[in-house]
Amino acid sequence: MTGQAIRTRQELMQQHAAHAANIALLLRTPPEGEAARFRQQKTIDNLRNQMLDIDIQLMRHECAEGA
């Protein structure tokens, strides 16, 4: 186990929503130049990967509650 504290379902959902809002903001902001487009896409990809990790943690919470 890593040093990261176990987060509550509510904290996970808040973080997921924040990432979704950040992605929406990035998609509304047109990048200027190829390098900026690359950085923007990399940031969006990283946020989506973090959202996927959060989804997995939420599913684990749900499974643990159902057990």
Side-chain angles (χ1 to χ4, degrees):
M1 181 111 200
T2 64
Q4 182 178 1
I6 296 173
R7 294 178 287 183
T8 67
R9 184 177 189 278
Q10 183 66 27
E11 289 171 327
L12 291 169
M13 292 179 70
Q14 288 172 346
Q15 189 174 21
H16 193 279
H19 288 341
N22 285 334
I23 289 172
L25 180 62
L26 285 167
L27 291 173
R28 285 194 309 259
T29 308
E32 295 183 17
E34 188 62 33
R37 273 191 287 283
F38 176 79
R39 285 191 308 276
Q40 182 187 51
Q41 188 58 52
K42 186 171 176 70
T43 300
I44 290 170
D45 290 345
N46 286 338
L47 288 169
R48 286 182 176 153
N49 286 337
Q50 290 177 27
M51 289 173 71
L52 181 59
D53 289 341
I54 292 169
D55 287 336
I56 292 168
Q57 289 180 39
L58 286 169
M59 284 188 273
R60 287 181 180 156
H61 277 276
E62 290 175 13
C63 290
E65 290 173 1

